[in-house]
Amino acid sequence: MRIIIIGAGKIGRHLARELAQAGHAVTIAESDGEVARRLAESVDALVLEGDGTSMILLKAAEVSRADWLLAVTGQDEVNLTACELAETLGAKRVLARLNDPRNRATFDALGIPVVAVTDLITQLISREIDFLHLERIALLARGSISLIEAEAGPDAPPRRVADLGLPEQTVLVAVTRERAGGEVVIPSGDTIIEPGDRVLVVTAVAQESEVRAALWREPGAGGNGR
């Protein structure tokens, strides 16, 4: 996937490294020149120095081709504006970090999905989450998008993510490998999902059952592959 990250703070840097290592094409924009230069030397991503709310910068980052724009600066107004501009310029999906809970209503009114600093995604980035007790974890985009955890069936064969037959507009966020002591990986299309893996997924609420069925599928079972 093509992913643009606005902001190279702790969360932005971590996301850039993890997503680049997973094989995604990552571009990160940072307004602090020194931070941007250091990041360019330490991560396999395109680093742009500049304001993430600049139309010129977003066009230079080819936001119209982006699968995701993640605005994760410490300023809600920057994150909101970057997401609005990205949607206007053709980004497929956007997600904003919410710093001040009092601003949530503004994001909701404009239809910008958010994740709060203390919410699940931040915990996931820090690898502090306990995956064993979660089903539906959160609802985004006014309740139309679901963040769920589903388990690969114990009798399902090992399969690449690209071969699971997941419904359209479904994104695998992370995989917890129980057989490897709870190791957490951010998957790409070539990542192998093993029986018993616990998978964190963003999908439409109406597609939750399809996602679980695709992951649970036993050898020889039918399915709606893409």
Side-chain angles (χ1 to χ4, degrees), residues 22-35:
H24 300 292
V26 177
T27 299
I28 185 164
E30 168 56 44
S31 57
D32 186 312
E34 182 59 31
V35 172

Side-chain angles (χ1 to χ4, degrees), residues 141-163:
R142 298 182 181 180
S144 63
I145 302 298
S146 180
L147 181 63
I148 64 171
E149 187 198 28
E151 181 177 343
D155 297 319
R159 291 166 293 168
R160 295 167 60 245
V161 169
D163 297 331

